[in-house]
Amino acid sequence: MKNNTDLQNEQDEQDEKGEKNASGGQRKKPSPLFWVLAGVSVVSLVAHLVAYPSLPDIVPSHWDAAGNVNGHASKTAMLFLDALPLLLLLGMQLFAHIDPKKES
C-alpha cells in the first residue's frame, strides 16, 4: 500500500509529464507509436480510396495456402475493413480519455 508521500510524488511526476489527474489537470499526449500507427492507417485508407473507383464490385478477400482465392467480398466491405484499424485506434484513444477512474 502506498503512503501519502508516495502518492504525492507520483502526482508530481504525472503533473510534470502532462498527464490528467483526478482533480482535472492536463492529459497525457498520445505516444509517438500512436502517431505512427495513425499515419500508416491513414495512408492505407487514402490509397484504398484512390483505387476504389477502379476496383471490381466483387474483390478477392481470402486465399488458401496454395494461393487460390476461396473468399470474395464487395469493394465496400473491403473499404470498411481497411478503415477498421484507424477506427479501432481512435476508439482506444477516446476510451482512454473517458476513463471514469482517471487511471489511464
Side-chain angles (χ1 to χ4, degrees):
M1 185 123 185
K2 296 179 181 179
N3 62 31
N4 287 342
T5 304
D6 291 338
L7 292 174
Q8 184 59 43
N9 289 340
E10 284 182 10
Q11 185 68 40
D12 292 342
E13 289 174 10
Q14 288 176 349
D15 289 343
E16 288 173 9
K17 291 179 185 176
E19 296 176 356
K20 183 168 179 82
N21 54 36
S23 63
Q26 290 182 330
R27 287 197 186 273
K28 182 178 173 184
K29 291 183 180 180
S31 72
L33 179 60
F34 169 82
W35 294 113
V36 169
L37 293 173
V40 169
S41 297
V42 167
V43 167
S44 176
L45 184 59
V46 168
H48 195 131
L49 289 171
V50 168
Y52 187 82
S54 63
L55 291 174
D57 290 335
I58 302 295
V59 293
S61 62
H62 193 270
W63 295 260
D64 62 16
N68 301 315
V69 176
N70 62 4
H72 296 84
S74 71
K75 66 180 184 178
T76 304
M78 296 305 288
L79 180 63
F80 173 75
L81 287 176
D82 195 27
L84 193 58
L86 183 60
L87 294 173
L88 289 172
L89 184 65
L90 294 174
M92 286 187 284
Q93 189 70 20
L94 174 67
F95 293 146
H97 287 290
I98 60 174
D99 178 17
K101 294 184 179 180
K102 311 289 187 238
E103 293 177 354
S104 61

